[in-house]
C-alpha cells in the first residue's frame, strides 16, 4: 500500500468536491495512466488524489485488521500448477446470472467515483463495456443510474442498493434501475450504520449530505453513527429492516436479487430462503466491521451452505489474476474488484480502468496457462492447497520415522 | 503505540510531581481533548505527558511480552456478523454485581492519576458518573477514596485493595471504602512484590513513597523487589498472606469481594471457594509477570472453571468496541479499561475521559449493530471464531479432494 | 536480499547489452571477487551490475510470494545433529544419472549469462570443470552450446530446452546438444508463456529478441504474454505441446530426459510414465507462477510419488550447505543453484563462480561433520524435524499434566 | 540486540589483542557498569567493545537462524501464575552434581574473555564466588585454569574441554583441572570443526593461534574448516574421536563428565550409556550448526530420554529470570548463561558480572514469587503452557457450539 503521506505531497490538479475549476476535466481524460505494474498504478493514483480522498479510498474500519486480512488470506493458499497441458487457447468467458461476460470478474460498487476523477461512473461503465465486463454501481454514484446505464454497452450492469429509511424510496430506486436496463439489484446488507473508520476520520472525508449524489437529493447515504437517546442507542429506521425486505423488493422489481455483505453460512441460508439469486461474500472491503473475517476465509462455509441454490461471488482483497484463480478454486462463481478500479480512475479515468482490466485479465489468462487450465469450468479445488507455516510445539512432522 | 520519543519532545506545562506551578490547573480543565480516533488520543496524551510518567503509563514488565500479547490475543479472533437483523435500538445496559450500568465496561484501577492530570481520580469519577459507568479506584489513588466517592453519582464505585503488611491497615481501608459508599472490594492478588519493569526503570519513574497517595501516609505501595538476606530472598510480610485473607476481609466488611489478577482455572476455583463474588482475569496490564498469558487467552479456562459461581471480568488490552464484544462472546461478564483512561485524562482531564467513553460505547453499539445483536444478553460464543493463520507442514487443508 | 537501489548507485563499468566497450573484458576476468560470505557476494554483485539486469536476476513473478516462499521453506525445518561420530573424512561425491560428481549440487539453468559478465556460460563451465561439478545451460545462453561443451572438462553438462513453436527446432537443439557432448536434456515444462514479473517490468529488462542468444538466430525466447484475439486469449504454438513431446524428444535423441518445473505428484507420475529419467522440482526460481508452492514444500509429495522410478532433484532458494542437507534429507537426489551463480559471475566471472562453489561445498562438508554424517548416502529423514512455531488457540501443549 | 554499527562508533579505550596500553587496566576495574536493565547492559557493552570482538560475541553461525531461534523458543511458552501463595521467603538454592549453589544458574563456557576485559576469567570467577554461583571455563580461557581455580571460592568450577588432536593432551588438561580443584569436566561434543560464522567473518575476528590462550602454547583451538584433499574433505584428527572418548576420559580423571552440545534423545542416551553424569542441551549459542533447533525446543526430548540417569542442563538464549523458570519447568536441572556474562565483563569487568547476576537472581526470585513458588523443587510442568498463535485454515476453535 502506498502511505497516505505520499498523497499529501501531491501538487497536481485535483478532481471532485469543487476543487477542479470548471472546464478542466480534459486534463484527466487524455492523460496516459502510464503504469506497468499494479504497484505503479497505486503509486500514480496516490500522487493524483487529494489526501482526504485517498484516505477514504485506501482506509478501512478501525485498526484495519479486516482490511489487512483480506489480502493476507490469499497468501494462505498456494496454486498447484499442472504442466504440459495444451493451453494454446485460454477462454475466460463465463455467464453471471445468465449474462455472458468476458471473464469471471466484475466491478464491485464504490461510492462517489466523481470525487476520484471527473469521468466518474460513466467512465467506468465505458471502460467495462469495451472490456466486455460487468459493473456494479452504487446508490451513492456521482453519476445517475440512468447516465450509467446509457454508457453501458456490454453486460447489463448491476445496481447496488442502500436501504433507505423509507422503503418506498428503496423500491423506487430498484424500479428506476430495472427501467434503465440494469440486470440485478445488489442489496447491501452490512451497513445498518457506518462503521468507525479511523483513517478516513483522520483524513477528514465524511460520508454525508455534503457529497453530491447523482441519483437525486432524496437519496440518503448510510447514517453515520448510533445516537445515544436516554439510556439506549438508536439507529435510523432502515436499521429495523430485516430479511423480509428481500421479499418486498421482489414484489417491487422483477430483477434478480443479490445480497452483499454475507460472511456466514447462517446468513447465506437465510438469503437463499428469501429468494436471493446471488450471494456476494464481502466485508465491505474491510470498511465496516473491523474484526470480521477475510472474505476469502468465509467463502468456503458459504459455498458449502448454498450449494447450487444461488451463485456465490466474492470481493475483498482481489488485486491480481492469481487472486481470481484462488477464489474460483475455492468455489466463487465470479469475483469483484473495488479499490483498484478507483486507483485506475484516479490515474487515468476511463482509459485507466480499461488498462487495469487488460492487465487483470491478461494476468488471469497467464495464470490459467501456468496451472494448465483452458476454461473457467475447469478450475476446481485440486488447483490449490494450504500454504504451510511453522509447525507447532512438540509436533513431529508428517512422516518422521524415528523417535526419541 | 506512540513511541516514548514523542513524549520527550513535549514542551507543554506538566502535571504532577510538583512540576506544575500552583494555580495552573485550569490549563488542563478546559482544554479540548480534541481527538477523533484512539490513535490521536494516544498521540495527544504522549505530547502532554512527561517522559518518565509516559514510560510508567505505557510500559510493562520485562521485555513486554505479555503487554504485547494482550493486544495480539484479540487479533486471533474474528467476529462473525449476522446481517438484516432489527438493530434500530441497541441497549448496552447490564448489571455488574447487581449494580445497573450503562454498558458492560468499567474502569480498571490505575494508581497515581494525579501524576497524569490534576483532575486525578475525582475527574475520572465525575466523567464516569456522567456516562453511567462504573469505576475502580486504586489504594494508591492521588485523590482520597472519600473524595472519589463524593464525586461519584453513577454506579457505586469499586475500591482496589493492595494488601498492606499489617492486615489491620487493609481491613481499615476496606471499612473506609464501605463507609464512603463503594460497592465492592477488588483485591489485587498478583503483586506480592513489584515486577521488574524495564521501560519504567529506564524512564526513571519509581513506585515508592516519594509519590503522594491520597489515602494517607500509612498506606504503603507494593514493595519494590525481593531482598537477598543471607542465602534467601525475603519479601515484605504481606507476601505471606494467602487465600484465607479473603475470609478475613469478609469478616471486616460486608462488601462483595472481587479477586483481581487471576489467570488459571486452579486459582479461579480457589477464589470462589473463599467467597469471591467476582473474578477479574488480568495480568496487571502486562506490568507484573512478563511471560504470563494474555488475559483473553486465560479467559475461557476461568469461565469454564467458575460457571455460575461468580461473575468473571477481564482487563488487559481492551481498547475498542470490538474488543469488548470479543471478550463478552468468550464469556466475560464485563470488561475493564486501563491505559486509555490515563490517555484520556492526560489529554483532557475529566472531559477527556468523558469523550473516550463516548467513543468506546458508540463503537460498541456500532459493533453490536454490525453483528446483529441488540442486547448484551444476546452476545454468545457463536459471534466469534478463530482467525486463521498459515497451515502446518504437510497439512492438506480442510476439504481437499484429490491426493498425490 | 540487496535492494535494487544499491545497484543503481553503481558507477563501475558494465557488461553486456553493448554497454561494455570492446576489449574491456579483462576488467572482469582478473578482478578478485573478494567476498567472505554469501551476503558480501550478493552485495558486491549488486554493485557491479546494471540496475535493470539486477532486477532481472533478483526479481520474481508478481508480488514475489513464491520467491520469498522458496527461502522461507528451508527455515521451517531444523537439522538434528548427532555428535561424536567419526567425521574426520567427509566425502560428498555422488552420481547424478550415472555421472560422477564431486558433490550433490549442480548449476540450474539461467539465461543470458553474458549480460552479467563477459565470461558468460563459458566461464561458468570452466569454473564447474575445475570444481568437478555439473552445470545446466539454457537454450538462451549467451555462449553457444558448442562453446560451452568445449569448455567443460568435468561431469558432462546438461542442456536446458525451451520448447520452440516448431518441434523440429527443438529436436535439432537436442541433437546438437547430444553431438556436442551434453549428457542430458532438461525440458522446461513451466513456461508455456512468460509470467508477469513486476520487478523486471519496472526495471526495464525485457526477455525478447533484442537480447543476443548464442545458439542462433532461429531460437526463440518464450513468448511474453497471452494475446487477446476476439474473445479468447491465444498463446504461441509451443503452448499446445503436451506430455507426448517427451516421447517425440526421445525419438530425436538418445540422451536421458529430465523434466524441470514439476510441483505436484500428479505431474511427477506423468513425467515418469513418459520416460523421464529425472524430475527437477522447481518453480523457476519464483519467476513463473506467483503463488506456486516453495520447491521444498512440493518435494516430499514428488519423492513419494516417484519412488525409485526416476531421480528427483530440486532447485529454488538453495543458497548454503545446510540448504543442500535439508533438501537431501527430504529425498532430493541432488540440488540446483541459480541466482548465486549469477552473483558469482557478476562479482568475478569464472573465478567468482569457482570461489562460490568452494564456499558452498565447504559449508556442506562442515554441515555434514556437524550432523555426524560422512557420506551422501548416510543422509536420511532422521536428520531433520519441523521447526516449531506458536501453538494454536486453546491448545494445551504436548505433555501438560494438569488441567483446569 | 544492539546492532554492531553502535559498537563501531565506540571511541573508548579497548581491551585485548594488544590494543590496551600496559597498566591501563584500572580504567575498567573501577568503572561503574551503570546499567538498570538488560538492554542497557548490552548497549553499554557494545559501546565499550571493539567492533570485531563485538561481532564475535554477538554473532552466530551462518544466517543466525539458530541464534534467533534460541530466543524465540522462550516466547512460545507462557508462565501460568498462581496467586496468594505464601512467598515471603524465596529460596533459589539447589545442588548441581552435588555442589551446593545459590541458584540454578551457572556460567556457560565462553573463550577468550581477556579480549573483552582485562579482568578476564579471573574476574568472572571472583564475581561468581561472591554470588555463590558455579562457573564453567573454556579450554581457550585467557587466564590459565590454575589462575581461575585460585580465584574461585564458591562452588567448585567446571572445566570445559575441547578435544585435542592428541588425546594425551586432552587427558592432561583434564588431570590439570582435577588437580586445580575443578569439580567436573564439560566435554564439548559439537565442534569437530568450527562452523561458518558470517558475522564473525565479516567482522574480522578469527579463532586461531594468534589469540593468546592461558592454558599453554600446546593447546589448539578447534580447526577452522574442512580441507579439500583430492576428492574428499579432511578434518583434523580429533574429528575421528567418538563416544568411547568418554570412557577414556573417565580413565584419566575421577571428575564427573558432562557432555555439552546434545540436541537429540539419541545422543542423550548414548552419553548416559558412556557414563555421562550430566548433559548440557546446547547448540553452542547458535554458533555451530545453523539450522539446529533452539536448545529449549530440544530440551523436552532429552529430558524424556534421560529420566533420572543424569542431570540435564540447558544453555542458549537464557537472559532473564523468567527464562530460567521456563527451562526449569520443562525439566532442566539448571541453566547456563553465556553472552550476558560477556556483556557484563565488557561493561564493568568483575563488578559488571556481579551486578548482572544480582539482577538475574533477583528477577528469578521475583518470577518465583509471582508464580507462587518458594523453592526450586516446587517448579514443575504445570507452571507453563504453550503461547497461542493463530488458528489454522478451516479450524473451528476449541469450543465453538454452532456450525454452518
Amino acid at each position: 500500500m502506498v502511505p497516505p503521506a505520499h498523497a499529501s505531497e501531491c501538487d497536481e490538479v485535483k478532481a471532485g468536491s469543487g476543487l477542479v475549476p470548471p472546464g478542466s476535466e480534459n486534463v484527466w481524460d487524455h492523460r496516459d495512466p502510464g503504469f506497468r505494474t499494479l504497484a505503479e498504478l497505486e503509486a500514480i493514483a496516490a500522487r493524483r488524489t487529494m489526501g482526504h480522498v485517498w484516505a477514504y479510498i485506501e482506509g478501512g474500519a478501525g485498526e484495519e485488521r479486516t482490511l489487512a486480512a483480506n489480502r493476507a488470506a490469499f497468501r494462505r493458499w498456494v496454486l498447484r500448477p499442472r504442466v504440459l497441458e495444451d493451453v494454446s487457447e485460454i477462454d475466460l468467458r463465463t455467464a453471471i446470472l445468465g449474462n455472458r461476460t468476458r471473464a469471471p470478474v466484475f466491478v464491485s460498487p464504490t461510492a462517489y467515483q466523481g470525487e476520484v476523477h471527473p469521468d466518474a461512473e460513466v467512465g467506468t461503465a465505458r471502460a467495462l463495456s469495451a472490456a466486455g465486463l460487468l459493473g456494479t454501481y452504487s446508490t451513492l454514484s456521482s453519476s445517475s443510474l440512468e447516465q450509467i446505464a446509457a454508457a453501458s454497452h456490454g453486460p447489463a450492469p448491476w445496481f447496488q442498493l442502500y436501504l433507505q429509511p423509507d422503503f418506498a424510496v428503496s423500491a423506487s430506486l430498484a424500479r428506476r434501475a430495472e427501467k434503465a436496463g440494469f440486470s440485478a439489484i445488489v442489496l447491501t446488507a452490512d451497513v445498518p450504520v457506518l462503521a468507525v473508520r479511523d483513517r478516513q476520520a483522520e483524513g477528514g472525508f465524511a460520508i454525508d449530505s455534503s457529497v453530491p449524489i447523482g441519483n437525486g437529493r432524496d437519496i440518503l447515504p448510510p447514517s453515520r453513527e448510533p445516537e445515544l437517546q436516554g439510556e439506549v442507542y438508536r439507529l435510523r429506521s432502515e436499521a429495523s429492516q430485516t430479511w423480509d425486505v428481500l421479499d418486498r423488493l421482489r414484489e417491487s422489481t422483477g430483477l434478480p436479487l443479490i445480497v452483499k455483505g454475507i460472511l456466514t453460512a447462517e446468513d447465506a441460508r437465510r438469503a437463499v430462503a428469501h429468494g436471493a439469486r446471488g450471494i456476494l461474500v464481502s466485508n465491505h472491503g474491510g470498511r465496516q466491521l473491523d474484526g470480521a473475517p477475510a472474505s476469502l476465509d468465509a467463502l468456503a462455509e458459504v459455498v458449502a451452505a448454498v450449494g447450487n441454490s444461488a451463485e456465490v461471488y466474492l470481493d475483498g482483497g482481489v488485486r491480481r489474476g492469481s487472486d481470481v484463480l484462488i477464489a474460483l478454486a475455492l468455489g466463487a462463481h465470479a469475483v469483484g474488484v473495488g479499490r483498484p478500479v478507483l486507483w485506475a480512475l484516479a490515474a487515468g479515468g476511463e482509459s485507466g480502468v480499461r488498462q487495469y482490466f487488460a492487465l487483470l485479465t491478461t494476468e488471469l489468462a497467464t495464470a490459467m496457462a501456468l496451472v494448465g487450465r483452458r476454461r473457467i469450468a475447469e478450475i476446481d479445488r485440486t488447483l490449490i492447497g494450504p500454504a504451510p507455516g511453522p509447525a507447532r510445539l512438540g509436533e513431529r512432522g508428517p512422516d518422521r520415522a524415528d523417535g526419541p
Side-chain angles (χ1 to χ4, degrees), chain A:
Chain A
M1 295 284 154
V2 175
H6 288 228
S8 66
E9 295 163 7
C10 168
D11 54 3
E12 307 186 20
V13 182
K14 298 304 170 195
S17 298
L19 292 158
V20 182
S24 69
E25 295 195 1
N26 287 342
V27 173
W28 279 268
D29 275 349
H30 304 294
R31 185 189 290 212
D32 176 12
F35 61 92
R36 289 166 298 186
T37 65
L38 198 67
E40 286 190 353
L41 170 59
E42 191 177 6
I44 291 167
R47 282 201 306 274
R48 297 189 181 177
T49 307
M50 292 291 286
H52 70 290
V53 175
W54 189 247
Y56 167 69
I57 292 174
E58 294 287 89
E63 300 170 2
E64 305 190 344
R65 278 179 57 186
T66 297
L67 178 65
N70 274 349
R71 284 300 295 146
F74 286 94
R75 297 188 197 106
R76 284 196 290 273
W77 296 96
V78 293
L79 287 162
R80 306 178 70 247
R82 304 310 196 290
V83 299
L84 292 176
E85 300 285 347
D86 177 356
V87 289
S88 55
E89 185 190 289
I90 305 289
D91 187 345
L92 304 179
R93 288 176 296 181
T94 190
I96 306 180
L97 281 186
N99 280 309
R100 300 289 304 174
T101 168
R102 201 77 66 76
V105 295
F106 58 88
V107 170
S108 268
T110 53
Y112 307 128
Q113 295 185 5
E115 298 296 305
V116 174
H117 190 280
D119 282 0
E121 289 82 5
V122 164
T124 302
R126 284 187 191 132
L128 292 179
S129 298
L133 298 175
L134 178 68
T136 315
Y137 299 92
S138 173
T139 293
L140 307 179
S141 290
S142 304
S143 314
S144 74
L145 65 88
E146 286 81 5
Q147 292 173 305
I148 295 165
S152 297
H153 304 293
W158 291 350
F159 180 75
Q160 178 273 339
L161 177 64
Y162 275 122
L163 285 174
Q164 300 291 310
D166 178 358
F167 179 77
V169 181
S170 305
S172 148
L173 278 166
R175 279 191 299 262
R176 273 175 64 191
E178 182 169 10
K179 186 173 165 202
F182 285 79
S183 66
I185 301 295
V186 177
L187 175 68
T188 292
D190 58 2
V191 191
V193 64
L194 284 173
V196 179
R197 299 179 186 174
D198 289 14
R199 202 194 308 190
Q200 188 175 313
E202 295 179 6
F205 186 95
I207 298 177
D208 60 24
S209 54
S210 72
V211 188
I213 298 175
N215 285 321
R217 289 168 177 259
D218 55 331
I219 306 301
L220 289 179
S223 71
R224 291 191 63 182
E225 64 178 33
E227 194 178 334
L228 185 61
Q229 293 184 356
E231 302 238 309
V232 299
Y233 284 89
R234 294 195 193 278
L235 283 78
R236 220 168 51 195
S237 64
E238 70 270 30
S240 68
Q241 301 181 32
T242 59
W243 287 96
D244 56 15
V245 78
L246 271 76
D247 308 310
R248 297 177 67 191
L249 278 170
R250 282 193 291 128
E251 290 165 13
S252 312
T253 170
L255 293 180
L257 296 184
I258 297 160
V259 184
K260 173 172 181 282
I262 293 211
L263 292 165
T264 64
E266 297 91 315
D267 279 353
R269 283 195 218 96
R270 292 200 283 183
V272 168
H274 286 275
R277 298 275 306 284
I279 289 172
L280 178 40
V281 175
S282 172
N283 49 37
H284 216 103
R287 304 164 82 85
Q288 282 294 104
L289 179 65
D290 195 33
S295 303
L296 195 72
D297 290 335
L299 179 60
E301 101 177 45
V302 171
V303 166
V306 166
N308 294 318
S309 314
E311 292 184 355
V312 177
Y313 320 113
L314 170 137
D315 69 20
V318 177
R319 299 285 176 271
R320 313 189 66 126
S322 52
D323 301 330
V324 178
L325 201 46
I326 291 170
L328 265 59
L330 277 166
H333 186 79
V335 302
V337 182
R339 284 183 184 81
V341 178
L342 300 181
W343 301 342
L345 262 182
E350 174 188 338
S351 121
V353 177
R354 217 158 35 208
Q355 188 175 335
Y356 169 69
F357 280 103
L359 176 62
L360 179 65
T361 54
T362 301
E363 278 190 355
L364 177 56
T366 301
M368 296 272 289
L370 296 180
V371 298
R373 301 289 160 100
R374 280 166 295 194
R375 309 269 174 272
I376 295 303
E378 294 170 9
I379 298 171
D380 62 12
R381 188 67 179 69
T382 73
L383 276 188
I384 60 171
R392 285 193 286 165
L393 270 175
E395 192 172 30
R396 279 288 164 183
D399 56 352
R400 184 158 170 262
D402 72 330

